[in-house]
Amino acid sequence: MPNVSSNDLPLSALKRGREVELVMEDFADRGKSLARLAATEDRRGYVVFVAGAVPGDRVRARVIKRKKGFAEARLLEVLEPSDLRVQPRCEYFESCGGCKWQHVEYPAQLAMKGEAAVSALARAGLDLGAADVRPPLGADPHDGSGGVYFYRNKMEFSFSAQRWLTDWEIASGEELDTSFALGLHVPGRFDKVLDLRACYLQSEWSERLVNGVRQWAKANGWRPWHAREHTGFLRILGVRTPAHTEDKMVNLVTSGWDEGRMAAFADFLRADFPEVTTLVNTVNDGPAQTSYGEAHVVFGPGTVRDKIGGYTYEIASNAFFQTNTVAAERLYAIAREMAHFKPTDVVYDLYCGAGTISLYVADAVQKVVGVELVEEAVENARASAVANGVTNCEFVAGDMLELFKPELIEAHGRPDVLILDPPRAGLHPKVTGQIAHLRPERIVYVSCNPQTQAMDLARLSEAAAYTVEAVQPVDMFPHTHHVESVVGLRLAE
Ligand code: SAH
């Protein structure tokens, strides 16, 4: 029985290990939700975070962390469910790190994402007074590319010698082999992996592939990676299924190079999954469970193609490409519109990946200079420019921190417009400093992390006077807390 009930409970009730009853009020960061304790004069807005709970729920939860400004509690039971709750589609929901919000109705997910993107900017002190802050752009309610399920064109499933069993797997009473799993990680556990038989993020074909590869690998006695002992051969099964072509890539990440095994695996794919157009074997012998390493093309071109806005893009196994093709097209259209291009513009597309935005905007401007760290992505960008007949894009390979200096600007011209699309960590302060020094007239910042986007823009605004003209959150990842946000800025007169 809970010791204390309702949000009138005193702070002293929030001792570690105690059970409490809470009414959840709002969504919070990383897919959690929060309850506020009744405000007292000295403790306004003390909050308790509960993962898995939904605003509107009345829950029983156990306090697991107690800090000065907030506490965290583990959900034990939903006493009264919120109206926002829906039945999750996937049987692995709750155990799996892939989707955290399948139990929240889609309009509420979307509203929360819009709010998160905009409030991050406001909290960082940016003046949105003159900005066109638009409602979040959501996914198509139907399944399929751009929809709320099966929207991903790329997945990475982990192999593990430490399988995590769901409650219902344990309850089934079946004899289960816990020494082999192929699926997604349990949240917060680098070593534990669910043996997924179903997943609604990529495609039914991809699900069949995962199940087929698992069966074949087990039958052949191939060992999965053991994340603690650093033993085993199989590490990651990467699958790319572009939305607008029939190309399909399998990228098998292994701990070593084994020609004989790879030939056998290629034969298996050719026989059972003839739709695969290219097989890559990436060798990662390091401790971190990533798909970085030396890539060997086993068969096919080593790339797949996908289409955005009438352009066809070539994508290598280690090149970045937006994982939701249909949503990416909407994202790029917004970026293009917010840039207010003129035919004389010199545009820099920084963190350009496989040159997707560069090519997409090239016809509106004088020229585009793309900068990207991954060599193969730059090779893809150059090849795609040629294949699409685009002649006014130049691509430079290297680290932005090293490259984004006066020499680059001297070689390629002063930018009128910057398009920024950095990874989750955002911009290095030196890069922001260089932007402030260059003072391009227009900036479009596309971000997959509104927190770092807001910090970067606040830092930029301190150094140079920019006005935020428009903000558009876009949902590219339904059922996760991730949100993409496009911000358009103009140098103040
Ligand atoms: N605009 C592209 C890619 C965005 S993802 C698209 O829409 O597809 C961010 C890209 O930044 C990745 O391709 C990543 O390889 C690249 N990147 C990460 N760190 C970098 C750095 N320090 N310098 C240059 N590029 C970097």
Side-chain angles (χ1 to χ4, degrees):
M1 279 287 103
N3 313 70
V4 192
S5 64
S6 106
N7 294 357
D8 289 332
L9 49 90
L11 255 184
S12 58
L14 293 176
K15 292 224 165 58
R16 262 191 71 190
R18 296 253 315 248
E19 276 185 28
V20 288
E21 240 180 69
L22 296 165
V23 176
M24 306 312 296
E25 286 167 44
D26 260 322
F27 284 111
D29 277 354
R30 285 168 228 278
K32 293 177 183 168
S33 51
L34 63 82
R36 282 189 192 82
L37 296 202
T40 57
E41 264 172 39
D42 53 331
R43 286 273 180 199
R44 285 190 55 222
Y46 191 92
V47 292
V48 187
F49 296 103
V50 184
V54 174
D57 279 347
R58 193 163 64 82
V59 302
R60 189 162 66 82
R62 187 186 306 286
V63 180
I64 51 175
K65 197 186 269 179
R66 163 83 196 267
K67 297 271 181 195
K68 205 156 177 241
F70 69 94
E72 269 188 55
R74 179 174 299 128
L75 180 63
L76 298 174
E77 188 186 353
V78 179
L79 300 167
E80 270 173 48
S82 159
D83 289 345
L84 303 181
R85 277 187 179 262
V86 292
Q87 183 62 29
R89 177 169 185 164
C90 181
E91 55 198 341
Y92 297 94
F93 177 71
E94 280 187 347
S95 311
C96 183
C99 302
K100 291 221 173 100
W101 276 356
Q102 272 192 32
H103 63 325
V104 179
E105 62 172 28
Y106 186 65
Q109 291 184 22
L110 186 62
M112 167 57 194
K113 293 188 191 206
E115 162 89 27
V118 177
S119 68
L121 297 171
R123 272 205 307 271
L126 283 154
D127 180 2
L128 302 180
D132 172 17
V133 179
R134 305 172 191 177
L137 196 62
D140 187 314
H142 301 97
D143 285 349
S145 184
V148 287
Y149 284 106
F150 304 110
Y151 56 80
R152 290 185 64 99
N153 59 35
K154 180 187 176 193
M155 286 295 285
E156 289 191 344
F157 299 98
S158 275
F159 291 94
S160 170
Q162 293 171 282
R163 175 177 170 189
W164 180 269
L165 295 176
T166 64
D167 291 347
W168 55 265
E169 281 171 333
I170 295 167
S172 74
E174 260 176 66
E175 187 89 3
L176 296 164
D177 173 11
T178 55
S179 70
F180 195 113
L182 175 55
L184 297 177
H185 282 264
V186 174
R189 294 297 300 259
F190 77 100
D191 54 343
K192 296 287 187 183
V193 172
L194 289 160
D195 200 45
L196 291 183
R197 307 299 161 104
C199 178
Y200 304 110
L201 288 180
Q202 193 167 28
S203 69
E204 277 164 20
W205 180 85
S206 154
E207 186 179 291
R208 265 200 299 123
L209 177 83
V210 169
N211 291 329
V213 169
R214 175 192 302 108
Q215 204 178 10
W216 185 87
K218 283 176 94 167
N220 284 276
W222 289 16
R223 299 307 311 153
W225 184 246
H226 195 297
R228 290 186 183 274
E229 293 168 4
H230 298 175
T231 56
F233 181 64
L234 294 166
R235 299 197 66 167
I236 293 170
L237 177 68
V239 190
R240 281 199 195 258
T241 54
H244 298 310
T245 71
E246 294 302 313
D247 291 355
K248 287 181 176 48
M249 175 188 287
V250 170
N251 178 17
L252 190 70
V253 183
T254 58
S255 58
W257 164 243
D258 184 328
E259 198 171 346
R261 281 191 179 188
M262 226 22 75
F265 185 68
D267 286 344
F268 153 69
L269 287 183
R270 285 198 189 96
D272 287 21
F273 294 93
E275 303 83 5
V276 175
T277 50
T278 190
L279 169 63
V280 176
N281 173 212
T282 301
V283 176
N284 170 10
D285 57 8
Q289 180 68 344
T290 68
S291 52
Y292 296 116
E294 200 182 317
H296 305 259
V297 178
V298 185
F299 67 72
T303 52
V304 288
R305 294 157 303 167
D306 206 347
K307 295 181 187 173
I308 295 180
Y311 296 92
T312 302
Y313 295 98
E314 191 172 281
I315 314 151
S317 60
N318 56 351
F320 178 90
F321 187 77
Q322 298 286 350
T323 48
N324 183 337
T325 312
V326 170
E329 181 153 0
R330 293 194 208 124
L331 187 77
Y332 291 176
I334 293 158
R336 183 173 167 139
E337 177 250 309
M338 281 189 192
H340 301 289
F341 288 128
K342 296 179 197 148
T344 51
D345 279 343
V346 172
V347 179
Y348 280 61
D349 178 13
L350 304 175
Y351 310 88
C352 72
T356 34
I357 301 181
S358 309
L359 265 58
Y360 183 86
V361 303
D363 70 320
V365 300
Q366 189 199 129
K367 75 165 176 180
V368 186
V369 183
V371 181
E372 163 61 39
L373 182 65
V374 176
E375 294 265 358
E376 289 84 349
V378 170
E379 282 168 25
N380 292 161
R382 290 184 182 132
S384 298
V386 172
N388 290 281
V390 176
T391 53
N392 60 340
C393 291
E394 293 158 26
F395 296 98
V396 187
D399 188 332
M400 270 291 289
L401 199 52
E402 306 295 322
L403 277 178
F404 197 54
K405 295 195 169 147
E407 298 78 52
L408 184 82
I409 308 301
E410 272 161 36
H412 298 277
R414 286 190 79 81
D416 300 293
V417 183
L418 289 188
I419 295 169
L420 306 167
D421 187 3
R424 292 189 62 73
L427 304 173
H428 190 284
K430 283 195 178 143
V431 170
T432 317
Q434 177 67 356
I435 295 172
H437 173 71
L438 280 172
R439 296 163 57 86
E441 184 185 271
R442 283 152 283 150
I443 297 176
V444 178
Y445 190 148
V446 180
S447 167
C448 55
N449 184 347
Q451 309 292 334
T452 52
Q453 181 185 42
M455 271 169 16
D456 291 342
L457 290 179
R459 196 174 280 137
L460 178 65
S461 302
E462 271 169 34
Y466 277 93
T467 309
V468 178
E469 286 192 324
V471 181
Q472 173 69 73
V474 181
D475 183 18
M476 316 211 23
F477 310 104
H479 312 302
T480 75
H481 64 275
H482 293 287
V483 57
E484 202 85 9
S485 179
V486 193
V487 177
L489 303 108
R490 187 180 287 270
L491 192 63
E493 306 275 297

